Amino acid sequence: MSLQHSRATRPKWTCHTKNLYIFKGDVLHPGEVDAAVKGQDAVLSALGLTKGSPKTICADGIRNIMAVMKKYGVKRLLVLPAP
């Protein structure tokens, strides 16, 4: 899953596999996080600050992700710190 704050940002990589779903959306909008997490077994987060993003993007984003994970009973979260 890829949820980004800036809609103008595009992933620099692509992955083609039947078991990995990449979502583009805004991690600060709970409705978009909900749509991305619903039906998943796990979540991978690589949030980090970018130019113009709020300084609390990581904390707020993980808070939104964890709330939706709890809602759907998703128990696995892998967090990769971005530079």
Side-chain angles (χ1 to χ4, degrees), residues 22-56:
I22 299 172
F23 293 87
K24 184 174 181 182
D26 191 331
V27 74
L28 297 180
H29 291 128
E32 293 186 34
V33 177
D34 189 284
V37 173
K38 185 177 181 179
Q40 304 306 316
D41 297 321
V43 174
L44 182 141
S45 170
L47 295 173
L49 289 174
T50 59
K51 186 176 180 180
S53 66
K55 291 182 180 183
T56 59

Side-chain angles (χ1 to χ4, degrees), residues 47-77:
L47 295 173
L49 289 174
T50 59
K51 186 176 180 180
S53 66
K55 291 182 180 183
T56 59
I57 184 91
C58 295
D60 295 342
I62 289 295
R63 187 176 301 111
N64 287 341
I65 290 169
M66 290 180 67
V68 174
M69 288 177 65
K70 183 176 181 179
K71 174 181 175 181
Y72 292 115
V74 178
K75 298 187 186 294
R76 291 178 280 179
L77 173 63

Side-chain angles (χ1 to χ4, degrees), residues 4 9-14:
Q4 303 158 359
T9 303
R10 294 185 180 194
K12 295 180 181 177
W13 53 272
T14 59

Side-chain angles (χ1 to χ4, degrees), residues 1 5 48 58:
M1 174 174 67
H5 174 62
C58 295

